[in-house]
């Protein structure tokens, strides 16, 4: 096969893998639990048992596999790595190509609620002029693009692969959008392909403060609160990132062997990062969509290879980046850390929105708000 070939792809998890998942969940060896500590020590065992039982006995993977397969999927080889991607073309011939990038612990499953309105706005109460062709790859090491087979798949390399992918698909002008890891990859694509990237939209924020006191002058109360939350995250909520950036292989042994472990590892992030107005992850997002996202990690065995992205990129954390003049837009949701003055340091921010509903997983939590913000940002750039 020529390395530039693009092949159709269809998800088809063997029944033996489903049976194995259910058997492992039934045999879970649960740890002990402390009384009256809530989530302060991690995921409560009683809560996790209920989720695991639902995953084993009620959740229907085949139903969601069929939903995913309704979206056109493909694979291609780029830089020696298999790349899986959704490519959903709009019925509008003049639609703008939009490259969506997920993060960790996400996947292309995050985008299931926004692809229809983005590609076919006229059928979803919108304006046909706002239509996009959506390209949503799985990051190397994640899901059906995994696992990676060599070291070196850091953010810049992912961005270069995305540039190659868009060229291979024949797109000469396109926008980028992403949250979490996608909010780092998407601007990087703009940096390396500024002649073709018409705009970069992210949810979550752009840029992390370097510690220069002048960066904190004149912040609003809301911005100061976001920085305080970032400080808390670095002190109390960054354990997952530290282990994934230092010993992902050790962690991966447990996650690859225990679906309950994989469930706990991801569900905790959905508890901490979703809209704080909700008590539990399933109050903020669809439980079945969340379990579909987790199931993709489980069935593809990519807990370890996805975690390696943290190891590959750890050396660049907190380092200054080259300024990008590509027009940038930011949507800030509750639990996000976005501060406009910090974002403007390295990015040409021309659009800024702040919302009181939703959270870190905006495409799952508040798809209506995210869709509208993406449309608004790109409307003046097409």
């Amino acid at each position: 096969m020529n390395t530039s070939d693009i092949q159709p792809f269809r998800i088809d998890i063997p029944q033996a893998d489903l049976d194995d998942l259910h058997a492992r969940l039934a045999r879970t060896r649960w740890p002990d639990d402390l009384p009256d500590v809530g989530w302060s020590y991690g995921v409560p065992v009683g809560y996790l048992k209920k989720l695991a039982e639902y995953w084993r006995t009620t959740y229907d993977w085949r139903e969601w596999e069929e939903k995913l397969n309704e979206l056109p999927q493909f694979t291609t080889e780029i830089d020696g790595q298999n790349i899986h991607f959704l490519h959903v073309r709009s019925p509008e011939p003049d639609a703008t190509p939009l490259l969506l990038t997920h993060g960790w612990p996400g996947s292309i499953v995050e985008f299931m609620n926004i692809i229809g309105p983005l590609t076919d706005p006229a059928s979803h109460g919108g304006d046909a002029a706002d239509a996009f062709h959506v390209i949503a790859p799985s990051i190397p090491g994640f899901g059906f693009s995994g696992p990676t087979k060599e070291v070196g798949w850091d953010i810049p390399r992912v961005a270069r692969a995305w540039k190659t992918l868009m060229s291979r698909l024949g797109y000469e002008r396109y926008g980028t959008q992403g949250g979490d890891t996608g909010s780092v990859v998407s601007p990087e694509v703009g940096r390396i392909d500024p002649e073709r990237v018409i705009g970069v939209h992210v949810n979550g924020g752009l840029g992390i403060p370097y510690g220069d006191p002048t960066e904190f002058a004149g912040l609003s109360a809301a911005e100061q609160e976001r920085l305080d939350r970032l400080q808390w995250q670095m002190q109390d909520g960054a354990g997952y990132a530290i282990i994934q950036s230092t010993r992902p292989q050790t962690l991966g042994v447990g996650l690859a062997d225990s679906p309950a472990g994989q469930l706990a590892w991801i569900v905790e992030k959905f508890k901490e990062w979703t809209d704080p107005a909700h008590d539990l992850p399933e109050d903020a997002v669809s439980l079945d969509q969340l379990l579909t996202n987790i199931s993709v990690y489980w069935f593809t065995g990519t807990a370890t290879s996805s975690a390696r992205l943290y190891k590959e990129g750890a050396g660049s954390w907190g380092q200054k980046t080259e300024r990008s003049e590509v027009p940038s837009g930011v949507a800030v949701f509750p639990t996000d850390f976005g501060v406009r003055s910090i974002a403007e340091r390295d990015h040409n921010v021309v659009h800024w929105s702040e919302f009181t509903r939703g959270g870190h997983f905006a495409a799952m939590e508040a798809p209506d708000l995210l869709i509208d913000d993406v449309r608004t940002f790109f409307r003046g750039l097409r």
Side-chain angles (χ1 to χ4, degrees):
M1 182 185 81
N2 189 301
T3 57
S4 64
D5 283 352
I6 294 174
Q7 300 295 324
F9 179 82
R10 195 174 165 79
I11 303 170
D12 186 15
I13 300 302
Q15 185 60 41
D17 290 0
L18 273 170
D19 295 340
D20 177 66
L21 167 64
H22 296 156
R24 286 171 183 265
L25 287 169
R27 295 196 312 269
T28 301
R29 183 186 181 194
W30 296 101
D32 67 299
D33 210 1
L34 293 171
D36 304 320
V37 297
W39 288 73
S40 61
Y41 281 70
V43 184
V45 173
Y47 169 76
L48 197 65
K49 283 182 177 179
K50 292 178 183 178
L51 278 195
E53 185 65 8
Y54 180 88
W55 194 13
R56 185 178 74 87
T57 63
T58 305
Y59 167 77
D60 186 350
W61 163 259
R62 293 299 185 202
E63 174 188 343
W64 284 81
E65 182 180 67
E66 183 177 344
K67 290 180 180 180
L68 284 168
N69 281 330
E70 291 172 1
L71 302 170
Q73 300 172 62
F74 304 87
T75 60
T76 192
E77 183 180 314
I78 298 176
D79 195 9
Q81 176 65 34
N82 174 66
I83 302 294
H84 162 265
F85 62 99
L86 307 179
H87 187 195
V88 187
R89 290 188 61 84
S90 171
E92 306 297 334
D94 295 329
T96 299
L98 182 63
L99 176 65
L100 299 180
T101 305
H102 65 83
W104 183 93
S107 67
I108 50 97
V109 173
E110 288 184 70
F111 303 134
M112 294 178 73
N113 296 333
I114 67 173
I115 288 175
L118 287 176
T119 56
D120 190 7
S123 296
H124 294 81
D127 186 342
D130 289 326
F132 296 95
H133 301 305
V134 167
I135 306 91
S138 299
I139 296 173
F142 288 69
F144 301 101
S145 285
T148 44
K149 302 179 180 66
E150 60 182 359
V151 299
W153 275 101
D154 56 9
I155 296 297
R157 190 173 178 182
V158 173
R160 292 193 297 272
W162 282 190
K163 176 183 177 181
T164 299
L165 175 62
M166 297 305 281
S167 295
R168 193 167 293 178
L169 293 173
Y171 290 128
E172 293 304 320
R173 295 176 74 254
Y174 63 97
T176 67
Q177 200 285 327
D180 192 86
T181 306
S183 72
V184 185
V185 173
S186 298
E188 187 64 20
V189 177
R191 285 191 185 91
I192 66 172
D193 201 11
E195 295 81 11
R196 295 194 300 159
V197 174
I198 63 171
V200 174
H201 183 281
V202 304
N203 51 286
L206 281 171
I208 297 296
Y210 299 144
D212 180 348
T214 61
E215 290 191 316
F216 308 114
L219 295 183
S220 69
E223 290 173 331
Q224 187 60 55
E225 182 181 340
R226 287 182 211 131
L227 287 183
D228 291 344
R229 191 162 57 246
L230 174 61
Q231 185 65 27
W232 174 89
Q233 169 74 14
M234 300 306 294
Q235 292 177 347
D236 190 73
Y240 80 97
I242 300 304
I243 193 169
Q244 292 196 157
S245 65
T246 56
R247 299 295 184 271
Q249 209 69 29
T250 305
L251 169 69
V253 174
L255 299 187
D257 188 59
S258 169
Q262 179 70 91
L263 179 66
W265 194 243
I266 291 180
V267 162
E268 180 195 271
K269 297 303 122 195
F270 274 79
K271 161 64 175 175
E272 292 187 349
W273 297 348
T274 50
D275 190 334
H278 299 295
D279 291 333
L280 295 172
E282 63 268 31
D283 299 330
V285 302
S286 157
L287 178 56
D288 281 11
Q289 189 180 10
L290 172 55
L291 288 173
T292 302
N293 177 63
I294 295 169
S295 295
V296 167
Y297 278 85
W298 175 258
F299 288 131
T300 58
T302 50
T304 305
S305 57
S306 62
R308 287 199 289 261
L309 184 65
Y310 285 70
K311 175 76 169 176
E312 298 289 354
S316 65
W317 291 359
Q319 301 300 307
K320 291 187 177 183
T321 56
E322 177 187 350
R323 179 175 171 81
S324 171
E325 294 301 335
V326 175
S328 300
V330 181
V332 181
F333 292 87
T335 74
D336 289 335
F337 307 128
V339 174
R340 182 160 189 166
S341 59
I342 293 174
E344 289 176 336
R345 179 192 60 209
D346 298 326
H347 306 272
N348 177 21
V349 178
V350 299
H351 172 90
W352 188 273
S353 300
E354 298 183 8
F355 299 100
T356 59
R357 170 170 62 86
H360 187 73
F361 303 96
M364 296 173 70
E365 297 182 68
D368 57 328
L369 298 180
L370 182 61
I371 290 164
D372 184 65
D373 204 65
V374 169
R375 289 173 177 169
T376 300
F377 169 67
F378 281 103
R379 201 167 284 150
L381 301 173
R382 292 172 181 268

